[in-house]
Structures are given as structure tokens and as C-alpha cells.
Amino acid sequence: MMEDYMIRVLTKNKQIRALAVRSTNLVEEARQIHKTTPVATAALGRALSAVSMMIALEKSGEKIGLRILGDGPLDRVIAEANMDGEVKGFVGNPQIDIMLNEKKNEKKLDVKKAIGNGELYVRKMMGLKEPYESKIQLISGEIGEDLTYYYTKSEQVPSSVGLGVLVDTDSSVKAAGGFIIQLLPDTPEETISKLESNLNSLGSVSRLIETGITPEELLDKVLEGFSYDITKVTEVEYNCSCSKGQTLEIVNTLNVDEIKESLKEDGYVEVTCHYCNESYRYNEEYLKEHLEREW
Ligand code: ZN
């Protein structure tokens, strides 16, 4: 099986920064953990592919989180990535019914309908410093277009984000990946129109990935006519490094009465990590020692 990885490049004329990822295995791993239906797999897979690239636009030591809260049946899409290429996520309702929209005689999973209207949040976590979060209204619900809008409006960097997840007939992930293109300051008009023409002739990202295309070959197409240097390569994988200590944060969101009730009834409080479904049990002794709360 071909490994998943992300590359970041800079064109030799220093006018365009670009990233591309192949995330097929990581999205399939997410599907198996969360038992997502095809449309939920597509939404989660796009978000996971996005954060696996977005992190490479940040400074070292940071983590990036993407949160999409919509009024559609999927409820929410959460994804997070760190500098080591560890990516994880979940959706609010992984079991929603398959939804297809028929466009141009091609059946397409209706991610937009699954997400609905709402907001997209990007959270940057920088070690011990306060996390920085910004939000935009969803403009499409397809995630790629929303992130294009996020970078262009919120970060004021003209960008284009393409994401694709292709689900096989047996519901497994056949292909997943994507790209992010950003214009650096003072890019001349001719560069912009060449890029736009490349993007218009690109077609579906997931279909391209399905052909076995590498991130380099994907960028060769997006950046046709430009030569570039690769500035970063990171292997990416689905990995939740949660621990009993970290997951205590979830217990901390419960009120004291709920905690006491669980302790009385079961002798422990049990919480399950949203990202990997691992369960942790906390007894009274542990909670009194580790939870900074009034009892
Ligand atoms: Zn976990």
C-alpha cells in the first residue's frame, strides 16, 4: 500500500506557495474507527486532508484544529493535525443516511447538504500560549470552497483549496487527497491567470488521486508552466495520542453532581475519546487527586 504524505513547495519565481497531500490510508483509518457512512466519510476525509496540509502553513510547535458546525444532519466535523503529521477527527453523526446529488449525470456524495449552513472555525494552538481562533460563515459547505474563502478573507492570502475523497462501492476509501495554492505578495496578473486556467482544466481531485497520482504529480498539474522546489515533506497518518490524563479534560466538563452520581452508581466515571473511541475509567481517588474542582 502506498504511504500517505504531504509536500509543501515554493515556485522558483517565489510567487506561489503550494501544498498537496495523499491521504487515502488515513481517511480509510478514520472511516474504520468511526464507522462512517459514505457521505460522512467524504466530509470527514476532506477535513482531515485539509488539516494535514494547513499545519504546514504554520510555525513549528503548533497544532491546528478545524471545526465545522452546521445545521445539517452531520451536526459537526472536527479535525486536528500536528507538526509530526498526526491527524485525527470525528463527525457529530457518523451514521447519517447516504445522500447523493445528481449533477451532470454523475452521482456525487452531498457533503454540502450533510453539513448545512453554519460556521467554520480554525484554531491555532501554540504550545503554552492562548490558542488563537478565527471563524467564517460557511459559504458552500463543500469544505474546500469554505477554506478558500477562509484563507482569502480571514488570513488575507489569495488561495485555492481543492479536496477530494472517493468512496468505493463497498464504502471503503478508494482515494483521498487535496491541494492548497497560495499567492505570495505582488504576484503579477499573468501568473494569476495562468494558475486560474490550470485550476479550471484540473477536474475532480479525487478522480486524479484515484489514478495513483502522487502529491508531486498533482502539483505538476496545478502548477503547470511553473517550476518549483520542495520545501517540506511529511508522512501523514491517523493517530490519536490520547491518554488518561488528557481525557480528564472531558470529565472536567461535567458538573460535580454528574460526577458524584456516576461514582455512586458505577464506582467510576467513564469517558470515551471522540477521536479514537478509547474509553478511560476514573475512580474517586484518581479524580480527587487530579481534578481541580470543588467537591
Ligand atoms: Zn483518543
Side-chain angles (χ1 to χ4, degrees):
M1 201 187 270
M2 281 183 297
E3 69 193 8
D4 289 340
Y5 66 99
M6 185 279 310
I7 60 168
R8 186 183 66 202
V9 314
L10 180 65
T11 55
K12 289 199 191 285
N13 64 14
K14 307 224 181 328
Q15 291 170 352
I16 308 164
R17 176 170 49 214
L19 307 111
V21 69
R22 183 173 61 203
S23 48
T24 307
N25 303 328
L26 118 67
V27 176
E28 171 61 11
E29 174 90 22
R31 180 191 74 88
Q32 290 180 14
I33 289 170
H34 298 295
K35 300 179 174 56
T36 43
T37 55
V39 72
T41 306
L44 179 58
R46 288 184 200 175
L48 294 170
S49 305
V51 291
S52 66
M53 294 184 283
M54 290 166 76
I55 186 65
L57 292 169
E58 303 306 319
K59 295 185 194 75
S60 63
E62 296 187 7
K63 281 198 287 187
I64 201 149
L66 178 63
R67 205 151 49 96
I68 299 166
L69 306 182
D71 61 6
L74 195 57
D75 177 53
R76 64 189 57 209
V77 184
I78 311 287
E80 193 181 302
N82 67 20
M83 286 281 163
D84 299 325
E86 294 173 326
V87 184
K88 59 184 180 178
F90 64 93
V91 295
N93 184 1
Q95 305 291 324
I96 58 170
D97 287 339
I98 296 169
M99 285 186 295
L100 301 167
N101 70 16
E102 289 184 45
K103 212 161 63 178
K104 295 177 205 155
N105 300 321
E106 191 187 351
K107 284 186 176 170
K108 195 168 163 280
L109 292 165
D110 203 341
V111 169
K112 187 193 191 87
K113 201 163 147 193
I115 289 175
N117 297 312
E119 284 99 39
L120 176 150
Y121 297 79
V122 175
R123 189 178 173 89
K124 298 178 182 181
M125 292 152 273
M126 301 160 282
L128 297 172
K129 276 194 275 177
E130 274 292 297
Y132 175 80
E133 189 169 72
S134 45
K135 89 168 181 186
I136 57 154
Q137 292 291 317
L138 292 174
I139 55 155
S140 103
E142 295 282 0
I143 305 178
E145 287 164 44
D146 299 298
L147 285 169
T148 296
Y149 181 69
Y150 163 77
Y151 277 113
T152 306
K153 182 166 189 243
S154 202
E155 302 219 345
Q156 316 231 307
V157 184
S159 304
S160 178
V161 181
L163 303 166
V165 175
L166 197 64
V167 178
D168 215 339
T169 46
D170 67 355
S171 292
S172 69
V173 176
K174 202 169 187 184
F179 66 81
I180 299 177
I181 310 296
Q182 296 198 318
L183 297 179
L184 297 175
D186 305 319
T187 300
E189 197 54 48
E190 55 177 309
T191 297
I192 299 171
S193 46
K194 174 71 183 132
L195 251 184
E196 280 173 351
S197 133
N198 289 354
L199 289 170
N200 286 335
S201 57
L202 194 66
S204 147
V205 177
S206 49
R207 296 278 168 201
L208 284 168
I209 304 263
E210 188 195 3
T211 63
I213 200 170
T214 63
E216 287 87 345
E217 288 163 340
L218 180 57
L219 288 187
D220 286 346
K221 285 183 184 291
V222 176
L223 298 176
E224 201 195 309
F226 302 97
S227 49
Y228 61 76
D229 295 311
I230 296 176
T231 56
K232 189 182 175 81
V233 180
T234 309
E235 269 184 49
V236 294
E237 62 173 356
Y238 196 98
N239 194 1
C240 182
S241 50
C242 67
S243 61
K244 189 168 181 173
Q246 267 182 346
T247 312
L248 191 63
E249 281 175 32
I250 302 178
V251 184
N252 217 357
T253 63
L254 304 172
N255 68 47
V256 171
D257 289 338
E258 286 175 292
I259 294 172
K260 282 182 175 165
E261 202 177 304
S262 289
L263 288 175
K264 201 172 145 195
E265 277 179 20
D266 308 316
Y268 54 81
V269 178
E270 185 174 80
V271 295
T272 302
C273 172
H274 293 305
Y275 293 100
C276 66
N277 292 335
E278 180 82 50
S279 290
Y280 296 94
R281 283 181 181 182
Y282 305 88
N283 60 24
E284 187 169 355
E285 190 190 351
Y286 186 96
L287 290 174
K288 286 205 161 140
E289 191 182 343
H290 294 92
L291 206 60
E292 288 170 29
R293 296 279 286 272
E294 292 292 324
W295 288 79

Short mmCIF file of all heavy atoms in Angstrom, two decimals, residues 67-72 75 112 115-121 135-141 146:
data_model
loop_
_atom_site.label_atom_id
_atom_site.label_comp_id
_atom_site.label_asym_id
_atom_site.label_seq_id
_atom_site.Cartn_x
_atom_site.Cartn_y
_atom_site.Cartn_z
N ARG A 67 -13.01 23.16 12.82
CA ARG A 67 -14.30 22.82 13.40
C ARG A 67 -15.37 23.38 12.51
O ARG A 67 -15.39 24.59 12.25
CB ARG A 67 -14.37 23.48 14.79
CG ARG A 67 -15.27 22.86 15.80
CD ARG A 67 -14.74 23.13 17.22
NE ARG A 67 -14.39 24.53 17.46
CZ ARG A 67 -15.20 25.42 18.05
NH1 ARG A 67 -16.38 25.07 18.47
NH2 ARG A 67 -14.79 26.66 18.24
N ILE A 68 -16.23 22.52 11.99
CA ILE A 68 -17.30 23.00 11.13
C ILE A 68 -18.61 22.63 11.82
O ILE A 68 -18.91 21.46 12.05
CB ILE A 68 -17.22 22.33 9.74
CG1 ILE A 68 -15.88 22.70 9.07
CG2 ILE A 68 -18.39 22.76 8.86
CD1 ILE A 68 -15.54 21.85 7.87
N LEU A 69 -19.35 23.66 12.21
CA LEU A 69 -20.61 23.45 12.91
C LEU A 69 -21.75 23.87 12.00
O LEU A 69 -21.91 25.05 11.71
CB LEU A 69 -20.65 24.27 14.20
CG LEU A 69 -19.47 24.08 15.19
CD1 LEU A 69 -19.69 24.92 16.44
CD2 LEU A 69 -19.30 22.61 15.56
N GLY A 70 -22.50 22.88 11.53
CA GLY A 70 -23.58 23.18 10.60
C GLY A 70 -24.92 22.74 11.14
O GLY A 70 -24.99 22.01 12.13
N ASP A 71 -25.99 23.17 10.47
CA ASP A 71 -27.33 22.77 10.91
C ASP A 71 -27.85 21.56 10.13
O ASP A 71 -29.01 21.18 10.24
CB ASP A 71 -28.30 23.96 10.82
CG ASP A 71 -28.46 24.49 9.40
OD1 ASP A 71 -27.91 23.87 8.46
OD2 ASP A 71 -29.12 25.53 9.22
N GLY A 72 -26.97 20.93 9.34
CA GLY A 72 -27.35 19.72 8.60
C GLY A 72 -27.28 18.48 9.48
O GLY A 72 -26.87 18.56 10.64
N ASP A 75 -24.20 17.37 11.76
CA ASP A 75 -24.02 18.11 13.00
C ASP A 75 -22.68 18.85 13.08
O ASP A 75 -22.66 20.05 13.19
CB ASP A 75 -24.20 17.20 14.23
CG ASP A 75 -23.94 17.92 15.53
OD1 ASP A 75 -24.58 18.98 15.72
OD2 ASP A 75 -23.10 17.47 16.33
N LYS A 112 -22.34 19.05 1.12
CA LYS A 112 -22.99 20.34 1.38
C LYS A 112 -24.30 20.19 2.15
O LYS A 112 -24.56 20.89 3.11
CB LYS A 112 -23.24 20.97 0.01
CG LYS A 112 -23.76 22.37 -0.05
CD LYS A 112 -24.23 22.60 -1.50
CE LYS A 112 -24.52 24.04 -1.78
NZ LYS A 112 -23.33 24.78 -2.21
N ILE A 115 -23.75 18.91 5.77
CA ILE A 115 -23.24 19.93 6.69
C ILE A 115 -24.26 21.05 6.93
O ILE A 115 -24.48 21.47 8.05
CB ILE A 115 -21.90 20.50 6.18
CG1 ILE A 115 -20.80 19.43 6.33
CG2 ILE A 115 -21.51 21.77 6.96
CD1 ILE A 115 -19.46 19.81 5.77
N GLY A 116 -24.87 21.51 5.87
CA GLY A 116 -25.87 22.58 6.00
C GLY A 116 -25.24 23.95 6.14
O GLY A 116 -24.10 24.16 5.72
N ASN A 117 -25.97 24.85 6.76
CA ASN A 117 -25.46 26.21 6.98
C ASN A 117 -24.82 26.29 8.35
O ASN A 117 -25.24 25.61 9.27
CB ASN A 117 -26.60 27.23 6.91
CG ASN A 117 -27.24 27.26 5.54
OD1 ASN A 117 -26.55 27.33 4.52
ND2 ASN A 117 -28.56 27.17 5.50
N GLY A 118 -23.83 27.15 8.47
CA GLY A 118 -23.20 27.29 9.78
C GLY A 118 -21.88 28.01 9.71
O GLY A 118 -21.67 28.86 8.85
N GLU A 119 -21.00 27.65 10.63
CA GLU A 119 -19.71 28.34 10.72
C GLU A 119 -18.54 27.37 10.65
O GLU A 119 -18.66 26.20 10.97
CB GLU A 119 -19.59 29.09 12.06
CG GLU A 119 -20.39 30.36 12.15
CD GLU A 119 -21.70 30.15 12.88
OE1 GLU A 119 -21.69 29.39 13.86
OE2 GLU A 119 -22.72 30.70 12.45
N LEU A 120 -17.41 27.92 10.22
CA LEU A 120 -16.16 27.17 10.18
C LEU A 120 -15.17 27.91 11.07
O LEU A 120 -15.02 29.13 10.97
CB LEU A 120 -15.66 27.10 8.74
CG LEU A 120 -14.30 26.45 8.45
CD1 LEU A 120 -14.32 25.82 7.05
CD2 LEU A 120 -13.14 27.42 8.55
N TYR A 121 -14.54 27.16 11.97
CA TYR A 121 -13.57 27.74 12.89
C TYR A 121 -12.20 27.14 12.64
O TYR A 121 -12.08 25.92 12.46
CB TYR A 121 -13.93 27.41 14.35
CG TYR A 121 -15.24 27.96 14.81
CD1 TYR A 121 -16.43 27.33 14.47
CD2 TYR A 121 -15.30 29.10 15.61
CE1 TYR A 121 -17.65 27.83 14.91
CE2 TYR A 121 -16.51 29.60 16.06
CZ TYR A 121 -17.69 28.96 15.71
OH TYR A 121 -18.88 29.45 16.14
N LYS A 135 -13.13 32.61 12.83
CA LYS A 135 -14.26 31.90 12.23
C LYS A 135 -14.81 32.65 11.02
O LYS A 135 -14.67 33.86 10.90
CB LYS A 135 -15.35 31.69 13.27
CG LYS A 135 -16.36 32.80 13.37
CD LYS A 135 -17.57 32.39 14.20
CE LYS A 135 -18.55 33.56 14.23
NZ LYS A 135 -19.68 33.37 15.09
N ILE A 136 -15.40 31.88 10.13
CA ILE A 136 -16.12 32.46 8.99
C ILE A 136 -17.49 31.76 8.88
O ILE A 136 -17.68 30.67 9.41
CB ILE A 136 -15.37 32.25 7.64
CG1 ILE A 136 -15.11 30.76 7.38
CG2 ILE A 136 -14.10 33.07 7.58
CD1 ILE A 136 -14.97 30.39 5.93
N GLN A 137 -18.40 32.41 8.21
CA GLN A 137 -19.66 31.74 7.87
C GLN A 137 -19.37 30.78 6.73
O GLN A 137 -18.56 31.09 5.85
CB GLN A 137 -20.69 32.78 7.38
CG GLN A 137 -21.16 33.74 8.46
CD GLN A 137 -22.03 33.05 9.51
OE1 GLN A 137 -22.89 32.25 9.17
NE2 GLN A 137 -21.77 33.36 10.76
N LEU A 138 -20.01 29.62 6.74
CA LEU A 138 -19.84 28.71 5.60
C LEU A 138 -20.45 29.36 4.37
O LEU A 138 -21.56 29.89 4.41
CB LEU A 138 -20.56 27.38 5.88
CG LEU A 138 -19.97 26.50 6.97
CD1 LEU A 138 -20.89 25.31 7.22
CD2 LEU A 138 -18.57 26.02 6.61
N ILE A 139 -19.70 29.33 3.26
CA ILE A 139 -20.25 29.90 2.03
C ILE A 139 -20.73 28.80 1.09
O ILE A 139 -21.53 29.04 0.20
CB ILE A 139 -19.25 30.81 1.28
CG1 ILE A 139 -17.94 30.07 1.01
CG2 ILE A 139 -19.00 32.09 2.07
CD1 ILE A 139 -17.21 30.64 -0.18
N SER A 140 -20.24 27.56 1.29
CA SER A 140 -20.70 26.49 0.41
C SER A 140 -21.03 25.18 1.14
O SER A 140 -21.93 24.46 0.74
CB SER A 140 -19.67 26.24 -0.69
OG SER A 140 -18.91 25.09 -0.45
N GLY A 141 -20.27 24.87 2.19
CA GLY A 141 -20.50 23.59 2.87
C GLY A 141 -19.76 22.43 2.23
O GLY A 141 -19.86 21.29 2.67
N ASP A 146 -15.01 26.59 1.25
CA ASP A 146 -15.07 27.35 2.50
C ASP A 146 -13.67 27.71 2.99
O ASP A 146 -13.45 28.81 3.48
CB ASP A 146 -15.83 26.55 3.56
CG ASP A 146 -17.26 26.27 3.13
OD1 ASP A 146 -18.02 27.23 2.94
OD2 ASP A 146 -17.59 25.09 2.92
#
